[in-house]
Amino acid sequence: MAHAVLQQLADIAQRYPSPRVRRLHVPRRSPEAGVHDAEFCAIELEDGAFGLSYVLLGDTLEALLAAHGSAGAAPLAGADAMALAQRLADGSEVERAIALAAINALTDSVWRRAGYEPPPAGNSLGDVVLGPQDHLGMIGFFPPLVQRVADAGGRLSVVEMNPEMVARQHERYPHITIGLDRALLAPCNLVVGTSTMLLNHTLDAMLAAAPNAQRFAVIGPSAGLWPDALFERGVTLLGGTRVTDAAAFSAAMAAGESWSSATRKFAIDRATWPGWRALTGSP
């Protein structure tokens, strides 16, 4: 899938040339455990566009801080964003994190220039509405959403790639099905997965493991890219995060504080997506 995403970026760049990088924003370790916003880095482009990416896969954050965490510096200033994006396909964990942030920033840049505003998200499940007849498959564990599934009267199966997380959460939530095997998705009619699947190249495998999914949402701050390649593979909704106040976002990142008030969540449905060619005026 990475190659399809990169080819699309290259095609779009023929009509909308890519700006250079203004800087890489690296998260500071927060003294408050569990702060969600500390899990992401951001690429800012010279035209004011932003893209976010998850940094807690493996040793990504430690390596990112070691390479680009110098105080007072402007990491990657002047870098070629398209060149950074190319590393999504075969780069290291750090290179893939930076690559996805660059892809999301390049997407945001064109959306701004084309005047496209992605629809606001209605809820944290990527606009998926649950009922008692539903069996939700969750890829990556979202503890706050467990109660929402219970309130709806539905069933829940969770695929989590971290064995330690599986052991902890199975003990904490013995009433739900949680495990490492993606086959747990087979009976689910709804699936919600984090955009981490774009970083570890597991999206295609997860889609194949969920043949009964009528809706398959990919959500999270890292999901800010053009949705066409995902929609072509079976994803039905993309739910990402867009920076709306550059100054406030940058200040919050620098201070190690929450930047949620400087962003807004969006949700793009496959059924209403016009397609990148229509949106960019490409033949």
Side-chain angles (χ1 to χ4, degrees), residues 1-268:
M1 193 204 69
H3 294 289
V5 169
L6 294 172
Q7 182 59 58
Q8 182 182 356
L9 278 182
D11 291 342
I12 292 170
Q14 297 297 314
R15 189 172 184 88
Y16 289 90
S18 305
R20 292 271 171 172
V21 173
R22 178 173 291 160
R23 68 166 295 155
L24 166 70
H25 296 267
V26 180
R28 290 181 55 183
R29 291 186 181 278
S30 173
E32 185 180 346
V35 174
H36 180 66
D37 293 351
E39 300 175 359
F40 300 88
C41 69
I43 286 283
E44 179 183 1
L45 301 181
E46 290 181 345
D47 67 350
F50 279 83
L52 297 163
S53 185
Y54 186 67
V55 295
L56 294 191
L57 273 183
D59 297 324
T60 300
L61 180 56
E62 288 75 13
L64 192 66
L65 289 168
H68 302 293
S70 302
L76 297 180
D80 181 342
M82 284 291 289
L84 294 177
Q86 297 300 316
R87 302 304 294 163
L88 182 69
D90 56 7
S92 66
E93 287 181 339
V94 171
E95 289 172 330
R96 293 200 305 272
I98 293 174
L100 186 54
I103 289 168
N104 292 335
L106 288 166
T107 301
D108 185 49
S109 174
V110 176
W111 286 357
R112 290 168 184 246
R113 284 182 275 172
Y116 174 68
E117 288 288 338
N123 63 52
S124 55
L125 267 176
D127 283 5
V128 173
V129 179
L130 295 170
Q133 76 283 0
D134 291 318
H135 188 166
L136 176 67
M138 190 182 292
I139 304 169
F141 196 59
F142 310 99
L145 302 184
V146 172
Q147 189 58 48
R148 289 187 54 187
V149 177
D151 291 343
R155 289 177 292 164
L156 175 63
S157 295
V158 181
V159 177
E160 171 58 57
M161 296 293 98
N162 184 337
E164 294 180 2
M165 175 72 78
V166 170
R168 287 198 307 270
Q169 302 304 341
H170 181 72
E171 190 172 306
R172 184 179 178 189
Y173 301 99
H175 59 290
I176 68 173
T177 303
I178 179 170
L180 301 169
D181 190 352
R182 63 175 66 103
L184 291 174
L185 300 175
C188 301
N189 67 308
L190 302 174
V191 176
V192 176
T194 70
S195 43
T196 304
M197 294 184 289
L198 303 172
L199 288 169
N200 59 17
H201 303 311
T202 59
L203 177 58
D204 286 334
M206 293 299 182
L207 284 163
N212 294 306
Q214 298 166 10
R215 288 180 65 80
F216 193 112
V218 175
I219 65 173
S222 301
L225 70 167
W226 292 93
D228 302 81
L230 283 71
F231 289 168
E232 289 168 3
R233 283 163 169 74
V235 173
T236 62
L237 187 138
L238 183 74
T241 297
R242 199 176 195 194
V243 173
T244 54
D245 187 330
F249 178 88
S250 300
M253 283 283 284
E257 299 172 350
S258 172
W259 37 255
S260 59
S261 63
T263 64
R264 75 170 180 88
K265 294 181 179 179
F266 63 83
I268 302 173

